[in-house]
Amino acid sequence: MSGGTRLENANPGIFQRSGERLLTASEEDEDVHDPIDDREIFDLIRSINDPEHPLSLEELNVVEQIRVKVNDAESTVGVEFTPTIPHCSMATLIGLSIKVKLLRSLPDRFKIDVHITPGTHASEEAVNKQLADKERVAAALENASLLEVVNQCLSTRSI
Amino acid sequence: MKEALSLVQRLNAHPDSRCWFVSWSPNGALLASCGGDKAIRIWGREGDSWICKSVLQDGHQRTVRKVAWSPCGNYLASASFDATTCIWKKKNDDFESLTVLEGHENEVKCVAWAPSGNLLATCSRDKSVWVWEVDEEDEYECVTVVNSHTQDVKHVVWHPTQELLASASYDNNICLYKEEDDDWECRATLQGHTSTVWSLCFDATGQRLASCSDDRTVRIWKEYPAESGQDLSWKCICTLSGYHGRTVYDVSWCRLTGALATACGDDAVRVFKDDETTNPDEPVFSLAAQVNKAHSQDVNCVSWHPKEAGLLASCSDNGEIAIWRFQEDK
């Protein structure tokens, strides 16, 4: 993806990573019901690698905690992500990586909706429709080469 | 809500996988299921419960998306993401792979037999619908490739008595096809849904068609005499909106009772009935039953038993099949 080919967005703005989340005493108490919150979802996706740059989605401001909405009681998670440029051809792949990360991490009861932040991409509607189509997502994940690219985005980078 | 849908049995049909689709054999003796584990399972009744009679493996390299029984009940067709459709022949209590239909460029999404059993339709993400002819020697030949849709074709279904084919697509439209001089042509495009149309079902007479969509509605279409003499004339006579919380993945119209069941991404199974006293051009459907957590994940398919009124099968992303009994409030 990178390497010899010309980068789509050669000089993206870089943002600071958020600090580690502080654990409270009640979170460590197994007897206290501790619903999944926005910050926990954000922590799952913020370190996903950008397919093009050696940076995380958080560092590129593609994902932000304020664009994560979780409702534990109703088992819903909504994530909006912001491509770095309006014609980013990687938008579907980035959205797929976020979706796969959450599908793998969260209990099965959760309904996961991943969308582009409104007004930030030229093909917003088409990308959103593709990401919402679970049949096409299932078929994509049976494609070995695509799955490998997704897994690379999801692999933990040593910093 | 009155408890009009009661659970008969739950089957862990495709463990650690999705169950994508279930289909009753024409006499209702068997139920075929398929899923993300690349397998097809055949379920039969023993005493009061349903048990797995056979497992059809090694037919496909990827997910089996849908299965369909031939009208005689002796053949089963399976559509797979591996771009092929497999035809299985029933031999006593077992099934053997008879032939593999190839040609689609990528994932085959659905397969359906015409009422005569001489024709088979398949559709794919490659945007095409193929019609295959079957001869006495069990040979299959593709007679037409139709490219009327501009996107992924999700579902194909035949009219219950005529050689009329309908397809539903990611392009939000429904197409109806008839044979014209040895060629199958799209004779009507039904527009109205505002997102992917996932499934279709004709009523018992074939005069009405139900469609369900990612736009969270179900639409009822009715056939009218053709105006221009050329195209078929189907009009939307009813839209069921406000009932479904997420995508409606499947719809099944019972040929015995007229009840309409839906499978939804909000985990619920719902049954609607139309008030027969209303104007047939403006029917009113009301919710007759709803099970909110019918499955713990998305419901992918609903299917009414062809002989036993009120018996309904559903299946889910959690790999389960559930059998339900629908009893109307008298």
Side-chain angles (χ1 to χ4, degrees):
Chain A
M1 219 113 311
S2 50
T5 57
R6 202 167 63 86
L7 296 178
E8 270 194 351
N9 183 6
N11 285 303
I14 300 175
F15 296 75
Q16 191 161 16
R17 290 202 302 267
S18 37
E20 291 300 310
R21 185 162 50 102
L22 294 170
L23 285 175
T24 61
S26 76
E27 279 180 316
E28 285 173 349
D29 185 345
E30 295 292 327
D31 296 329
V32 175
H33 175 66
D34 180 20
I36 293 171
D37 60 28
D38 295 354
R39 176 61 204 247
E40 281 169 286
I41 299 295
F42 182 63
D43 276 349
L44 289 170
I45 60 173
R46 69 188 179 107
S47 56
I48 296 173
N49 302 314
D50 181 77
E52 203 172 56
H53 295 282
L55 293 165
S56 69
L57 296 186
E58 180 186 25
E59 287 167 310
L60 291 169
N61 217 35
V62 171
V63 293
E64 299 164 89
Q65 191 178 330
I66 53 155
R67 302 202 180 279
V68 173
K69 294 276 174 289
V70 58
N71 185 332
D72 187 275
E74 290 184 5
S75 301
T76 57
V77 173
V79 173
E80 281 177 1
F81 68 103
T82 314
T84 55
I85 47 169
H87 288 90
C88 179
S89 63
M90 305 285 172
T92 311
L93 176 60
I94 293 170
L96 186 63
S97 301
I98 296 171
K99 189 142 190 168
V100 171
K101 175 71 187 186
L102 296 176
L103 284 169
R104 287 179 184 168
S105 313
L106 294 174
D108 291 338
R109 66 184 163 95
F110 277 96
K111 306 287 182 190
I112 299 157
D113 293 309
V114 177
H115 298 283
I116 287 178
T117 306
T120 65
H121 195 271
S123 313
E124 180 184 325
E125 210 175 309
V127 174
N128 287 345
K129 190 170 185 178
Q130 183 112 346
L131 291 171
D133 186 321
K134 68 170 184 179
E135 185 185 59
R136 288 167 73 127
V137 169
L141 296 179
E142 286 185 6
N143 176 330
S145 51
L146 184 57
L147 186 61
E148 196 188 337
V149 176
V150 170
N151 282 334
Q152 273 168 17
C153 290
L154 299 184
S155 65
T156 339
R157 221 166 359 119
S158 50
I159 303 165
Chain B
M1 176 72 44
K2 45 192 180 280
E3 274 297 311
L5 261 180
S6 53
L7 183 70
V8 177
Q9 197 184 343
R10 256 182 219 286
L11 304 163
N12 190 9
H14 296 262
D16 304 317
S17 181
R18 269 194 173 106
C19 184
W20 273 113
F21 203 71
V22 287
S23 176
W24 294 104
S25 63
N27 65 7
L30 300 171
L31 180 73
S33 67
C34 61
D37 58 359
K38 307 168 189 145
I40 301 159
R41 286 185 176 73
I42 310 293
W43 306 84
R45 200 182 247 170
E46 223 155 77
D48 286 337
S49 61
W50 296 85
I51 60 152
C52 184
K53 295 278 191 181
S54 33
V55 185
L56 284 56
Q57 273 165 319
D58 309 321
H60 292 289
Q61 311 303 311
R62 292 179 58 187
T63 284
V64 185
R65 180 62 180 89
K66 279 175 192 161
V67 282
W69 294 91
S70 64
C72 63
N74 292 328
Y75 300 89
L76 185 72
S78 54
S80 167
F81 283 0
D82 69 9
T84 71
T85 305
C86 197
I87 308 292
W88 306 81
K89 189 172 188 174
K90 192 164 174 274
K91 279 219 164 165
N92 302 318
D93 276 346
D94 218 353
F95 290 79
E96 67 175 34
S97 170
L98 189 70
T99 187
V100 178
L101 310 182
E102 294 175 338
H104 280 294
E105 282 172 33
N106 38 43
E107 296 95 281
V108 184
K109 299 290 179 76
C110 188
V111 57
W113 299 84
S116 65
N118 297 328
L119 294 168
L120 189 77
T122 55
C123 65
S124 161
R125 190 166 69 89
D126 68 13
K127 306 170 189 176
S128 67
V129 172
W130 293 40
V131 179
W132 307 77
E133 207 166 64
V134 193
D135 67 15
E136 290 80 18
E137 278 90 48
D138 282 343
E139 296 284 332
Y140 290 73
E141 189 197 357
C142 175
V143 290
T144 302
V145 175
V146 207
N147 286 294
S148 297
H149 286 293
T150 59
Q151 290 287 343
D152 188 358
V153 190
K154 300 295 196 185
H155 196 84
V156 279
V157 65
W158 290 89
H159 186 281
T161 53
Q162 298 168 22
E163 289 196 339
L164 171 74
L165 179 68
S167 65
S169 166
Y170 189 87
D171 70 10
N172 308 353
N173 294 334
I174 299 159
C175 287
L176 297 174
Y177 314 82
K178 275 204 157 179
E179 195 181 5
E180 193 87 16
D181 303 328
D182 292 334
D183 224 5
W184 288 78
E185 285 177 3
C186 176
R187 297 280 302 278
T189 302
L190 315 187
Q191 294 175 314
H193 281 297
T194 56
S195 191
T196 303
V197 187
W198 278 98
S199 186
L200 302 166
C201 190
F202 282 99
D203 73 358
T205 64
Q207 286 163 353
R208 293 188 296 177
L209 178 70
S211 60
C212 62
S213 164
D214 179 53
D215 68 14
R216 305 179 181 195
T217 70
V218 171
R219 282 174 176 261
I220 310 292
W221 311 80
K222 185 168 181 271
E223 185 184 15
Y224 287 89
E227 283 157 5
S228 59
Q230 257 296 312
D231 285 348
L232 300 168
S233 177
W234 286 71
K235 290 174 190 159
C236 180
I237 52 165
C238 179
T239 303
L240 300 172
S241 57
Y243 293 104
H244 299 90
R246 293 179 70 88
T247 304
V248 192
Y249 287 112
D250 195 28
V251 61
S252 177
W253 213 328
C254 183
R255 296 194 177 166
L256 305 172
T257 67
L260 190 74
T262 61
C264 186
D266 65 8
D267 306 346
V269 169
R270 296 174 178 85
V271 177
F272 299 86
K273 287 281 287 186
D274 65 332
D275 187 343
E276 279 156 17
T277 59
T278 56
N279 178 353
D281 292 327
E282 292 173 0
V284 176
F285 282 76
S286 52
L287 188 63
Q290 174 168 337
V291 181
N292 275 328
K293 281 273 169 197
H295 291 277
S296 65
Q297 293 182 56
D298 292 8
V299 188
N300 290 324
C301 173
V302 279
S303 182
W304 291 106
H305 193 278
K307 300 290 178 196
E308 197 176 325
L311 203 64
L312 180 75
S314 64
C315 68
S316 163
D317 272 356
N318 71 359
E320 279 183 355
I321 296 175
I323 313 270
W324 309 88
R325 196 173 299 284
F326 172 62
Q327 242 134 15
E328 281 183 76
D329 224 22
K330 291 288 176 196

